[in-house]
Amino acid sequence: MKENIAILGSTGSIGSQALEVIKQHKDSLRAYALTAGSNTKLLSEQIKQFSPALVSVKNKNSAKILNQMFDGYELIYWGDFGNVLAATSEKVDRVVVATPGLPGIIPTIAAIEAKKKVALATKEVLVAAGNVVMDAAEKAKAQILPIDSEHSAIFQCLQNHCIEQVSKIYLTCSGGPFRGLNTEQLKSVTLQDALNHPNWKMGKKITVDSATLMNKGFEAIEAHWLFGLPMDQINIIIHPQSVIHSAVEFVDGSVIAQMGAPDMRLPIQYALLYPGRRIQNNFRKLSFADYPTLSFEEPDTETFRCLRLAIESAKSGGTYPAVLNVANDIAVEAFLNGMLPFYKIPEVVENVLAKHTPKYSPSLGDIFEADRAVRQFANLLTNLI
Amino acid sequence: MKENIAILGSTGSIGSQALEVIKQHKDSLRAYALTAGSNTKLLSEQIKQFSPALVSVKNKNSAKILNQMFDGYELIYWGDFGNVLAATSEKVDRVVVATPGLPGIIPTIAAIEAKKKVALATKEVLVAAGNVVMDAAEKAKAQILPIDSEHSAIFQCLQNHCIEQVSKIYLTCSGGPFRGLNTEQLKSVTLQDALNHPNWKMGKKITVDSATLMNKGFEAIEAHWLFGLPMDQINIIIHPQSVIHSAVEFVDGSVIAQMGAPDMRLPIQYALLYPGRRIQNNFRKLSFADYPTLSFEEPDTETFRCLRLAIESAKSGGTYPAVLNVANDIAVEAFLNGMLPFYKIPEVVENVLAKHTPKYSPSLGDIFEADRAVRQFANLLTNLI
């Protein structure tokens, strides 16, 4: 029997690649529900190709347009409601959460409570609302399957082990396009430089986050929640070739690492077919011959202050990581719009964090409120720097 | 409750390190039986330290000497009988087979049939008698726990997966002290050069086998039997730092690797405590900071012909690997005694293999007979070259 998959955020980078994986395994997977933002052009192509039973878009207007294009369709929804509907539909077995930002949180929790398997790509879900989401998962005894290559790697390395047997996690990090530069040199980097990631092809926002190493900070926070490990047991190690996707050190000193070609379709396939593994010959495979040398170095958290800020926020806890996330959002958007130089991104984040009055063990309301409070002053924040 | 361990070959390199591990975990492990060859001096020290219930030595004479030293002891045996007794004693839970050479085969099979957990270090057991031993293991539904660091690595990487999910095994190989040399340069290497292994401290025989790469060939044959994979799916990759101990590629392209400091006590501990993992802080741990670079290259099987001979023997099957083993034994002994230059070791092996009339699906008798037949002409063989 086929598994019905809901993809929240089907027109994004992860969503599109999830559809490629489904296409490759159409004997066992079906794209049952697709939700997207405003890219109705790509969405309509996906509808033609995959004939999902349920579709949702950003707003009523886009829904209308799609309704006119696809005459027979009755199940076209919009907005947060559409995402939740897709995530909880009775027919859906597994939900890919790849819709960007805080809007991913509610459908994730809804999917967990509806006992769906959740394949999670949206970082903000755990960065901002880790305590709430993991509480819900524990209550529902739901397992969250990570889609990020690093967390997928750790998940694959952990099999059969309980977390008490883990002494350390190594989260590998390519170092991004600016690895080796110092603070002074970062002052002259351009937008184009920042968007030129050495190993991974991703969206603009995450590519900039990879250049500041904020992305790795987010991933450390995600790992903290996903695997239930204190931040002190999560080590970041720079590994420019991105071949070792991450590793786990067990209490006896044995290190298990997951490796692979840098291709997101591999962790996506793993999350969609878990606990099975299926043959695939369409995506790249790793060959040691292609990588005569793998290298490792400690991250430079003086120059790449975002990484340090992320780790400190997570240690401080409460609403700090949510504020870290929104401050970074604003700063990166300003950078992408040419309003803020690259090197000032951590400055914005640091200033916002310094002014934040945290709530601990925050409710979802507290988290959204912390986000809203910062976002309100977005223009002010980047103009002040 | 403590597990009772029998160590066959307790005075060798693996046996002594197994005792160190037992000492570190004496709350849960007990050295119940120790068997050794003629090193009664070390054995008597081990008896004093670990008070095993059962002891066995090479011959009746050594047993007498020990009997005089340890007045209260009644359970001092000798020879093959002593090994089998230790391997099958009712009180024994787990048997470490680390006694060198073909004499390890019978006690291994005895232990399997007596439903003991078998932690296997002796390469010859599977190289020469893989079909017989694995048949016995299958019949008894016994799992063999590998002690070799490479096989322990593969075993750790495989957890929870069936062999059908495996597309490839990567057996890593340091390359030994002569990595990078050509056939001409091998002509002038000395015994001392050959005994100078870059990463591992081991016995003389295995150190020479590591220098010729015959050891890696043996390991490939062991992996073939242990994990039930055809030789074509076993890839040898040179990795001079010996940090990645081996890796498994699954059908979906994901590669799981096991890494660790090059310290045999880690895989020994794993085999003694499996399926548990226990904290240990006495042995070295891996730090990526200590290994800024890991490198990989294809093996040079033109120069290191022993590796090719081993793989070809395994593909030919039958008694060929047993003959490979004995021919190599004779050649290495001749080299250790200064009777044969290093570069002639593969020549001896190749000549013996060429003259062998194989038996397929051999019985234990066929295997011992093939061994005996070659050993008979040992002097002749090395003198002819």
Side-chain angles (χ1 to χ4, degrees), chain A residues 11-24:
Chain A
T11 57
S13 165
I14 295 294
S16 308
Q17 293 180 82
L19 282 171
E20 283 186 59
V21 170
I22 290 175
K23 193 173 151 196
Q24 230 217 332

Side-chain angles (χ1 to χ4, degrees), chain B residues 181-242:
Chain B
L181 299 194
N182 59 32
T183 310
E184 204 46 41
Q185 291 168 310
L186 280 190
K187 288 190 177 170
S188 56
V189 303
T190 65
L191 175 59
Q192 211 185 338
D193 296 335
L195 293 180
N196 187 23
H197 194 275
N199 301 333
W200 297 96
K201 209 177 151 280
M202 305 174 290
K204 278 185 185 179
K205 163 69 167 50
I206 187 172
T207 304
V208 174
D209 285 345
S210 296
T212 62
L213 299 203
M214 180 60 95
N215 185 53
K216 205 52 56 175
F218 286 158
E219 288 178 3
I221 301 174
E222 281 185 281
H224 158 68
W225 287 113
L226 265 176
F227 305 114
L229 271 188
M231 291 300 288
D232 285 335
Q233 283 173 259
I234 299 169
N235 288 38
I236 313 284
I237 184 96
I238 303 291
H239 167 44
Q241 298 81 15
S242 296

Side-chain angles (χ1 to χ4, degrees), chain A residues 176-235:
Chain A
F178 304 139
R179 181 174 62 89
L181 299 194
N182 59 33
T183 312
E184 205 46 41
Q185 291 169 310
L186 279 190
K187 288 190 175 167
S188 55
V189 303
T190 66
L191 176 58
Q192 212 184 338
D193 296 335
L195 293 179
N196 187 24
H197 194 275
N199 301 333
W200 297 95
K201 208 176 151 279
M202 305 173 291
K204 277 184 186 180
K205 162 69 166 48
I206 187 173
T207 304
V208 174
D209 286 344
S210 296
T212 62
L213 300 203
M214 180 60 95
N215 184 53
K216 204 51 57 176
F218 287 158
E219 289 178 3
I221 302 174
E222 281 186 281
H224 158 69
W225 288 114
L226 265 177
F227 304 114
L229 270 187
M231 291 299 287
D232 286 334
Q233 283 173 260
I234 299 169
N235 288 39

Side-chain angles (χ1 to χ4, degrees), chain A residues 41 45 132 185 232 269 376 379 382:
Chain A
K41 187 170 171 295
E45 286 167 23
V132 181
Q185 291 169 310
D232 286 334
Q269 169 169 321
Q376 201 170 10
N379 288 331
T382 47

Side-chain angles (χ1 to χ4, degrees), chain A residues 3-262:
Chain A
E3 253 203 46
N4 284 326
I5 311 291
I7 303 183
L8 314 187
S10 70
T11 57
S13 165
I14 295 294
S16 308
Q17 293 180 82
L19 282 171
E20 283 186 59
V21 170
I22 290 175
K23 193 173 151 196
Q24 230 217 332
H25 300 285
K26 55 187 171 197
D27 56 321
S28 53
L29 301 177
R30 182 190 169 191
Y32 184 87
L34 299 182
T35 85
S38 40
N39 191 348
T40 44
K41 187 170 171 295
L42 178 53
L43 181 61
S44 64
E45 286 167 23
Q46 292 177 341
I47 295 172
K48 278 178 206 153
Q49 199 179 351
F50 293 94
S51 308
L54 192 158
V55 169
S56 179
V57 278
K58 190 167 188 168
N59 53 41
K60 198 172 176 175
N61 199 38
S62 308
K64 265 191 189 161
I65 297 170
L66 280 179
N67 252 322
Q68 285 158 356
M69 287 178 66
F70 298 96
D71 234 8
Y73 260 77
E74 283 181 33
L75 296 175
I76 298 184
Y77 299 95
W78 60 90
D80 291 343
F81 175 71
N83 273 323
V84 169
L85 216 62
T88 57
S89 161
E90 206 185 327
K91 291 276 183 66
V92 163
D93 301 297
R94 206 175 289 231
V95 180
V96 175
V97 181
T99 186
L102 261 54
I105 297 175
I106 299 280
T108 300
I109 294 174
I112 287 170
E113 289 177 348
K115 312 275 185 195
K116 308 298 184 195
K117 294 167 199 156
V118 177
L120 183 62
T122 306
K123 289 199 161 60
E124 292 83 350
V125 170
L126 289 177
V127 171
N131 66 319
V132 181
V133 173
M134 294 314 290
D135 277 357
E138 203 181 333
K139 218 171 279 174
K141 297 194 199 323
Q143 194 167 38
I144 297 179
L145 303 164
I147 279 190
D148 242 355
S149 68
E150 292 80 356
H151 304 90
S152 176
I154 294 165
F155 188 80
Q156 291 180 53
C157 294
L158 278 175
Q159 302 221 353
N160 246 0
H161 289 92
C162 58
I163 204 68
E164 287 70 31
Q165 291 180 303
V166 173
S167 52
K168 212 185 266 180
I169 274 178
Y170 286 104
L171 214 56
T172 55
C173 174
S174 72
F178 304 139
R179 181 174 62 89
L181 299 194
N182 59 33
T183 312
E184 205 46 41
Q185 291 169 310
L186 279 190
K187 288 190 175 167
S188 55
V189 303
T190 66
L191 176 58
Q192 212 184 338
D193 296 335
L195 293 179
N196 187 24
H197 194 275
N199 301 333
W200 297 95
K201 208 176 151 279
M202 305 173 291
K204 277 184 186 180
K205 162 69 166 48
I206 187 173
T207 304
V208 174
D209 286 344
S210 296
T212 62
L213 300 203
M214 180 60 95
N215 184 53
K216 204 51 57 176
F218 287 158
E219 289 178 3
I221 302 174
E222 281 186 281
H224 158 69
W225 288 114
L226 265 177
F227 304 114
L229 270 187
M231 291 299 287
D232 286 334
Q233 283 173 260
I234 299 169
N235 288 39
I236 315 283
I237 185 98
I238 304 290
H239 167 45
Q241 298 82 14
S242 296
V243 163
I244 297 186
H245 292 158
S246 276
V248 174
E249 182 193 86
F250 293 98
V251 290
D252 62 355
S254 182
V255 175
I256 303 285
Q258 192 266 348
M259 310 168 79

